[in-house]
Amino acid sequence: MASKDTEFVVAVSLAADSLFTEAGVMLPLDDPRQMFDHVERVMVAEVDGRVEGLAATVTLDGGTHLEQLAVHPDHGRRGVGGALVEAVCAEAAGRGHDRVTLTTFRDLPWNGPWYERRGFSVFPRPEWGPGLVRQWAVEEEAGIMVRPRIAMVRRLRSPSRPCPRGPLPGSNDP
């Protein structure tokens, strides 16, 4: 992410959070800028030259962890989020990681079920590494466990679910 994109990424994150409020999910207020203090990478998706989506990742337990995926609601259901997930998977595979993990709300249609349609499955707690255990604890302390949450994993480099490489919608990056 270029530093010029920071304010746009913050705006996208806050706009995406409004979907939770509309669904009756009351999350604690947070400042998306705090995420930049600990994430390693932030990919952005541009549509018509404007930042409309982001994927923020960290390395946990030797794999890539998707800390946040957000798409501006005005550009939802157009493939931006799916393209970002595929880009995260491709980047993770390129780094030699064998999986992408995330935590999400189990039952919200644009959370657990959405990721499941993109090749993620429930990640059983006995298989978590210490990094994911710590991540879960941080989320509990932050007060976001207001509805049932799950950890999910997508195994990479599987012949049945390869990570395709390609540009993000509206992006000039290969």
Side-chain angles (χ1 to χ4, degrees), residues 66-86:
L66 181 57
E67 173 88 11
Q68 181 180 14
L69 177 71
V71 175
H72 194 286
D74 291 347
H75 290 277
R77 303 182 60 88
R78 297 181 190 176
V80 175
L84 281 164
V85 165
E86 295 306 319

Side-chain angles (χ1 to χ4, degrees), residues 25-28 103-106 125 128 132-151:
V25 178
M26 295 298 141
L27 295 171
T103 59
T104 192
F105 290 105
R106 182 187 68 201
R125 191 173 185 115
W128 297 4
L132 187 54
V133 170
R134 279 191 303 277
Q135 176 66 29
W136 190 267
V138 165
E139 292 177 11
E140 285 180 323
E141 290 171 19
I144 66 169
M145 304 296 192
V146 295
R147 291 189 59 161
R149 288 184 63 81
I150 54 174

Side-chain angles (χ1 to χ4, degrees), residues 27-69:
L27 295 171
L29 295 177
D30 71 326
D31 181 351
R33 290 171 195 84
Q34 294 174 342
M35 171 182 60
F36 303 137
D37 292 339
H38 68 271
V39 297
E40 297 165 3
R41 291 167 298 286
V42 178
M43 294 181 181
V44 299
E46 293 184 356
V47 177
D48 297 328
R50 292 181 43 144
V51 174
E52 299 296 350
L54 70 110
T57 62
V58 296
T59 301
L60 286 184
D61 306 317
T64 295
H65 181 78
L66 181 57
E67 173 88 11
Q68 181 180 14
L69 177 71

Side-chain angles (χ1 to χ4, degrees), residues 143-159:
I144 66 169
M145 304 296 192
V146 295
R147 291 189 59 161
R149 288 184 63 81
I150 54 174
M152 299 185 85
V153 62
R154 178 166 156 184
R155 307 287 177 187
L156 304 179
R157 298 187 181 188
S158 163

